[in-house]
């Protein structure tokens, strides 16, 4: 980004902005506090907590940022033997993103949220540069339908896109991973000609706190096998990691709903290096953010040149402290110089 901001800073600033918007909308004397829950791992906990400390929590109050560490599972050899990292330490790996449920309870975060009167919790992957943190539309929908779980999805770009899809499995909500759906099923169409399996899972979930404290804790984790090279006392060897998937628990939701959103406005992940030749890189994320922010500025009356045929245009960054989803930019439209590259609205 032209500003040099990290993803953590973007998310924190979006929280600050939505707090200000909520205070103004509700006519509150005091600004409300949205808690930012950050799940870390054994290897990353100190790095992340130290980073927030150095950056003064990006303007958030220290007490509203809650760090909690996910669990670990032992690693095994293909024949079932437990692998050793050292003579006195078992080789371990993170227990998958499903570890969020037990970690929230084990670290006391759920108790903290209950004491604060929190009703809804949003979960998102750390690599989605466009995520609407604490999205009031999402929470409002959750409240309106009385759901336990509401999952945001986007339509697949094409049948072959390497993404899981949210669907019914045995009559219960779940996710079919792209590695298991198969080409024939992935290409199935509805009578309208649209893809039958089209609700791409982008790891955006909202839960009621009651669900997180109850069914999510009672659910018995399904362990999935991942065959990886494991660092051991004998060097890297072929082995097995056990991982829980965050979406397996969907099947026990009493009321489960989907909320389809605009990919261009809410989802652009960073999965690969910019020089990898693969999609979902820092460069594609920057392009997605720039296209969205150029769209915001045009809607506010700024004379931003039209994008090229493939969506290309100047790099553009609107500060997350200034606008949450494009609102309020009319007031500064006349001060923005759209002839520059990058276009930066601080």
């Amino acid at each position: 980004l032209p500003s040099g901001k990290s993803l953590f800073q973007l998310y924190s600033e979006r929280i600050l902005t939505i707090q200000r918007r909520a205070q103004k909308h509700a006519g509150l004397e005091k600004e409300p506090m949205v808690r930012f829950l950050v799940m870390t791992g054994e290897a990353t906990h100190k790095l992340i907590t130290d980073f927030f400390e150095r950056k003064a929590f990006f303007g958030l109050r220290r007490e509203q940022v809650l760090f909690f560490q996910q669990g670990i599972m032992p690693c095994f050899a293909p024949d079932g033997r437990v692998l050793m990292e050292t003579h006195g330490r078992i080789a371990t790996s993170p227990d998958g993103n499903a570890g969020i449920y037990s970690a929230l309870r084990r670290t006391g975060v759920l108790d903290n949220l209950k004491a604060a009167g929190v009703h809804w919790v949003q979960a998102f992957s750390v690599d989605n540069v466009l995520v609407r943190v604490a999205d009031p539309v999402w929470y409002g929908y959750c409240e309106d339908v009385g759901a336990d779980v509401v999952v945001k999805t986007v339509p697949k770009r094409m049948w072959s896109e390497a993404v899981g899809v949210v669907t019914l499995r045995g009559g219960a909500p779940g996710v079919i991973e792209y590695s298991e759906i198969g080409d024939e099923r992935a290409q199935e169409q509805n009578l309208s000609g649209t893809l039958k399996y089209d609700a791409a899972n982008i790891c955006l979930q909202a839960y009621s706190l009651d669900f997180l404290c109850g069914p999510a804790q009672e659910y018995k984790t399904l362990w999935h096998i991942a065959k990886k090279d494991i660092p051991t006392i004998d060097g890297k060897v072929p082995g097995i990691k056990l991982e829980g998937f965050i979406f397996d628990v969907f099947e026990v939701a009493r009321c489960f709903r989907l909320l389809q959103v605009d990919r261009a406005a809410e989802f652009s992940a960073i999965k690969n290096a910019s020089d990898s030749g693969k999609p979902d890189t820092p460069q594609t994320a920057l392009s997605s953010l720039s296209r969205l922010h150029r769209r915001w500025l045009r809607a506010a009356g700024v004379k931003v040149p039209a994008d090229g045929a493939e969506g290309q245009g100047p790099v553009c960054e609107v500060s997350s402290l200034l606008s949450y989803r494009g609102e309020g930019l009319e007031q500064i439209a006349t001060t923005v110089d759209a002839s520059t590259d990058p276009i930066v609205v601080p």
Side-chain angles (χ1 to χ4, degrees), residues 295-306:
R295 193 169 86 187
W296 287 0
L297 291 177
R298 290 191 195 101
V302 181
K303 303 300 182 182
V304 178

Side-chain angles (χ1 to χ4, degrees), residues 66-77:
L66 305 178
F67 301 100
F68 64 106
Q69 195 168 327
Q70 76 180 112
I72 56 175
M73 289 292 288
C75 298
F76 300 90

Side-chain angles (χ1 to χ4, degrees), residues 54-173:
R54 289 198 308 274
K55 300 297 183 178
F57 294 85
F58 306 106
L60 297 172
R61 285 171 271 182
R62 181 185 296 263
E63 64 270 21
Q64 77 181 106
V65 184
L66 305 178
F67 301 100
F68 64 106
Q69 195 168 327
Q70 76 180 112
I72 56 175
M73 289 292 288
C75 298
F76 300 90
D79 62 5
R81 291 180 296 108
V82 175
L83 295 174
M84 301 300 294
E85 183 178 331
T86 67
H87 286 295
R89 179 180 170 84
I90 292 174
T92 61
S93 64
D95 58 359
N97 52 16
I100 189 174
Y101 303 117
S102 58
L104 284 169
R105 172 187 48 79
R106 185 181 64 251
T107 58
V109 173
L110 289 180
D111 290 337
N112 182 302
L113 299 181
K114 281 191 288 187
V118 170
H119 290 177
W120 300 98
V121 177
Q122 167 192 341
F124 63 92
S125 294
V126 71
D127 58 5
N128 180 6
V129 70
L130 300 184
V131 64
R132 289 181 178 171
V133 186
D135 180 8
V137 173
W138 197 3
Y139 287 145
Y141 179 69
C142 292
E143 189 71 29
D144 282 349
V145 301
D148 295 321
V149 182
V150 175
V151 174
K152 284 188 177 182
T153 67
V154 296
K156 293 180 72 173
R157 289 194 183 101
M158 60 193 75
W159 72 264
S160 58
E161 183 178 6
V163 62
V165 292
V166 186
T167 185
L168 295 178
R169 304 190 63 155

Side-chain angles (χ1 to χ4, degrees), residues 34 73 87 107 191 200 209 224 287 290 307 333 345:
V34 175
M73 289 292 288
H87 286 295
T107 58
L191 293 177
L209 190 63
H224 302 263
S287 296
S290 293
D307 290 352
V345 185

